[in-house]
Amino acid sequence: MNTDLFLRAGADRRLAAGHLWVFSNEVDVQRSPLQSFAAGDLVQVRRANGALLGSAYMEPQSLICARLYAHGREQALSSQWLSALVARALASREALLPGQCYRLIYGDSDGIPGLVVDRFGDYLVMQFHNAGIEQHEAAVIEALARVLQPAGILLRADSRSRREQGLADRVEVVFGEVPEVLPLQENGVAFAAPVLQGQKTGWFYDHRMARARLRDYAPGQRVLDVYSYIGGWGIQAAACGASAVLCVDSSAAALAGVEANARLNGLESRVAVRQGQAADVLQALRDEGRQFDLVIVDPPAFIQRRRDIKKGIKAYQRINELGLGLLSPGGVLVSASCSMHLSRADLLLAIQGAARRSECDVRVLEQGGQGPDHPVHPLIPETEYLKSVFCRRLSPAAI
């Protein structure tokens, strides 16, 4: 451990309760000048009276200037310690999820802030979300290799948040060999994920539980999957017995992935694709008189920053309005959001606003969130970001 990071008097309550973030305005900068630290430096976080709160790595240029990885103890961020954290996370996944396809490491919730690792069987795809954890890359790789003996590890350090921090994009194989496309199974359905060129790590495991619910909603239905990417929702709807599925995305590469995944499951006769901006395609479908029994709207995060909440809520309302306009009476809308800054209550209000503008009534049937491979830290609400709402468009009452 390199040195100490002292907090101001009275600034220790949140950390003492189990939180993992140290904010720059909580630091006693007379005793611990932030300019004396570099990203990744290891520190012992201490109360004003010197009592130990835990071990952290530094991010001195950020509002969150330190992140704890060992609460209540002095501990180096060594491959041995990281191996213990990885092994604990692995045991949690193996206890609840069949197969070897899941989010293995989910940052703060698994005790390794800034690190995300998705598992695709014998292969791992990892992301570094800040400069601090990136300074410990060698120890992270050693720990992952020790615990899982993977055939290869791919680094996808090319997120928007990294660019906003001024960090360079990095996409490279850092251990073994990794093919450009990796197989996975979710809810018994096969997929091929473009881990090298696709979005994020190549796949989105977070909606696993909500997509499993399609078994009760999709059989015999005409399904529209908006913002489909490579068909996580649409292909599973077809596998659950949907009569026809239309996947919409702006990316030709993503839709080629939909078609490949349909063929992989022998579903190509029931899965079609349409390229274009979501709002434009949905309006065109309405102009064509199309209707669907199940409409799934799972957009990218419309709210990236807290200051964008008001504008973002309007965007969610608009896209759900367009979805409801294509939904047959009695049909089901699945509305999803991955915007951490959008509350579940605000998503429900956006859906209700969309229903009002569509001159129809909706009722919520059930709601979902992220799966157990995205565990929520009770003191860090930012670790709970995913929402899904299943609601029925009511048919006119018959007299």
Side-chain angles (χ1 to χ4, degrees):
M1 192 64 58
N2 293 346
T3 189
D4 296 323
L5 184 73
F6 287 95
L7 302 186
R8 294 186 298 102
D12 53 13
R13 295 185 184 91
R14 189 172 41 79
L15 290 173
H19 208 290
L20 303 178
W21 299 352
V22 179
F23 290 94
S24 57
N25 61 2
E26 296 172 326
V27 176
D28 183 341
V29 294
Q30 299 300 314
R31 301 172 74 182
S32 306
L34 289 177
Q35 63 268 27
S36 67
F37 298 100
D41 283 355
L42 303 183
V43 298
Q44 300 168 48
V45 181
R46 296 189 178 276
R47 301 176 192 259
N49 65 6
L52 180 68
L53 286 165
S55 302
Y57 70 75
M58 293 295 298
E59 283 279 327
Q61 304 305 315
S62 301
L63 175 62
I64 303 171
C65 67
R67 298 173 184 267
L68 271 69
Y69 58 83
H71 208 278
R73 62 186 288 170
E74 180 179 346
Q75 174 65 57
L77 190 55
S78 63
S79 63
Q80 183 178 5
W81 176 247
L82 287 166
S83 294
L85 296 176
V86 171
R88 183 178 68 182
L90 176 63
S92 175
R93 276 63 173 176
E94 290 183 332
L96 295 170
L97 299 170
Q100 297 180 332
C101 300
Y102 39 69
R103 175 144 293 180
L104 173 65
I105 302 294
Y106 179 48
D108 293 289
S109 293
D110 286 306
I112 314 178
L115 178 68
V116 165
V117 180
D118 280 352
R119 186 180 188 186
F120 298 84
D122 292 332
Y123 299 92
L124 305 175
V125 182
M126 69 177 184
Q127 296 177 298
F128 293 137
H129 287 300
N130 59 53
I133 191 62
E134 193 168 11
Q135 302 309 307
H136 301 277
E137 177 178 337
V140 170
I141 294 170
E142 183 178 340
L144 292 170
R146 177 185 299 165
V147 176
L148 289 110
Q149 295 89 47
I153 302 175
L154 172 67
L155 174 63
R156 284 292 304 269
D158 58 344
S159 65
R160 175 186 297 187
S161 65
R162 281 180 58 89
R163 289 190 288 273
E164 290 175 348
Q165 297 172 67
L167 302 176
D169 285 355
R170 294 179 59 201
V171 179
E172 57 186 284
V173 176
V174 294
F175 179 87
E177 296 181 354
V178 180
E180 291 188 17
V181 177
L182 292 179
L184 70 113
Q185 280 217 350
E186 184 177 286
N187 300 322
V189 182
F191 291 91
V195 294
L196 198 62
Q197 300 291 338
Q199 298 178 22
K200 301 290 183 70
T201 64
W203 182 253
F204 297 90
Y205 282 121
D206 49 7
H207 271 306
R208 173 199 309 268
M209 309 305 285
R211 289 192 286 247
R213 295 295 299 125
L214 292 174
R215 64 179 180 269
D216 290 335
Y217 291 95
Q221 304 299 289
R222 299 164 296 172
V223 177
L224 176 64
D225 178 10
V226 189
Y227 304 101
S228 69
Y229 184 43
I230 58 173
W233 291 93
I235 299 298
Q236 291 192 54
C240 289
S243 61
V245 176
L246 177 61
C247 290
V248 175
D249 202 277
S250 62
S251 166
L255 294 178
V258 170
E259 293 173 328
N261 286 319
R263 291 191 297 272
L264 192 61
N265 292 277
L267 299 169
E268 59 267 37
S269 65
R270 286 187 279 135
V271 177
V273 301
R274 188 148 170 177
Q275 185 182 357
Q277 297 298 321
D280 296 338
V281 173
L282 267 58
Q283 186 59 57
L285 289 170
R286 187 168 185 175
D287 293 343
E288 295 165 15
R290 299 284 298 275
Q291 279 200 320
F292 299 85
D293 310 303
L294 176 62
V295 174
I296 301 158
V297 180
D298 183 15
F302 285 157
I303 305 173
Q304 296 290 339
R305 304 171 186 84
R306 192 175 299 277
R307 64 174 181 264
D308 298 329
I309 290 178
K310 186 175 181 180
K311 179 180 177 182
I313 290 174
K314 290 182 178 179
Y316 281 105
Q317 178 174 305
R318 176 57 178 159
I319 198 63
N320 280 283
E321 179 186 345
L322 289 168
L324 283 170
L326 292 164
L327 189 62
S328 59
V332 171
L333 171 73
V334 180
S335 179
S337 168
C338 61
S339 293
M340 180 266 292
H341 294 297
L342 180 75
S343 70
R344 189 174 291 273
D346 280 339
L347 177 59
L348 290 171
L349 284 174
I351 295 170
Q352 174 58 23
R356 186 178 65 251
R357 290 177 61 87
S358 300
E359 299 182 341
C360 68
D361 287 321
V362 296
R363 294 295 182 270
V364 175
L365 304 176
E366 60 179 282
Q367 300 182 57
Q370 57 218 60
D373 53 348
H374 292 68
V376 175
H377 191 299
L379 292 179
I380 307 180
E382 291 84 354
T383 60
E384 183 177 15
Y385 66 96
L386 199 72
K387 297 157 282 285
S388 61
V389 179
F390 290 66
C391 54
R392 188 178 303 282
R393 175 174 180 163
L394 299 184
S395 301
I399 300 176

